[in-house]
Amino acid sequence: MQWQFSNDAPIYTQLIQHIKIGIVTGVFPPGERLPSVRDLATEAGVNPNTMQRALAELERDGLVFSQRTAGRFVTEDHTMIQTAKRGLAQRHIKTFLEAMLQLGFQREEILALLEQELGEEGRGRVGA
């Protein structure tokens, strides 16, 4: 998993987002044991206490759970994972729309641009 951080949000909230993305994309499959706090912190290059805080938040959200001596595991609740995926998508859409509105685009123009990009996706253009 590629760990990249920005200066616009606390590290622990960015860790939460990275791990959520890992869960919804299958990097951390349902029911799988997560690496230890120390291993994840080392991989991400953060303090273990910061990683612990992020994982505790994910536990409160129900995306991961602890088994006393076995570690933390990804939930097997596929509905919860889909809900998290939708939440991440909505956050990205909101950010995109705010940026487009700041650029002065109107609703119809935004939709036209999206339609154009989605049409070009079939030709391998999106993300290029």
Side-chain angles (χ1 to χ4, degrees), residues 108-122:
E108 296 75 23
E109 293 171 304
I110 295 169
L111 290 171
L113 285 170
L114 286 171
E115 287 292 330
Q116 179 183 349
E117 282 298 314
L118 289 171
E120 292 176 2
E121 177 181 4

Side-chain angles (χ1 to χ4, degrees), residues 30-128:
E32 181 177 288
R33 183 180 183 277
L34 291 173
S36 71
V37 170
R38 190 164 305 282
D39 288 345
L40 281 170
T42 300
E43 183 183 327
V46 300
N47 185 298
N49 292 329
T50 306
M51 183 60 74
Q52 174 63 33
R53 183 176 179 190
L55 290 170
E57 184 72 26
L58 288 166
E59 250 186 269
R60 277 191 291 279
D61 292 346
L63 283 174
V64 301
F65 63 93
S66 293
Q67 287 187 344
R68 206 172 274 231
T69 58
R72 282 193 174 92
F73 294 81
V74 176
T75 185
E76 293 185 48
D77 183 342
H78 293 281
T79 301
M80 186 169 289
I81 293 170
Q82 286 302 313
T83 299
K85 185 175 186 176
R86 186 170 187 84
L88 288 168
Q90 288 172 329
R91 192 180 111 237
H92 286 289
I93 291 167
K94 182 178 179 185
T95 301
F96 167 76
L97 289 174
E98 287 171 355
M100 295 301 286
L101 293 171
Q102 283 180 347
L103 289 172
F105 284 95
Q106 299 298 313
R107 183 180 194 277
E108 296 75 23
E109 293 171 304
I110 295 169
L111 290 171
L113 285 170
L114 286 171
E115 287 292 330
Q116 179 183 349
E117 282 298 314
L118 289 171
E120 292 176 2
E121 177 181 4
R123 295 187 296 270
R125 168 100 170 49
V126 170

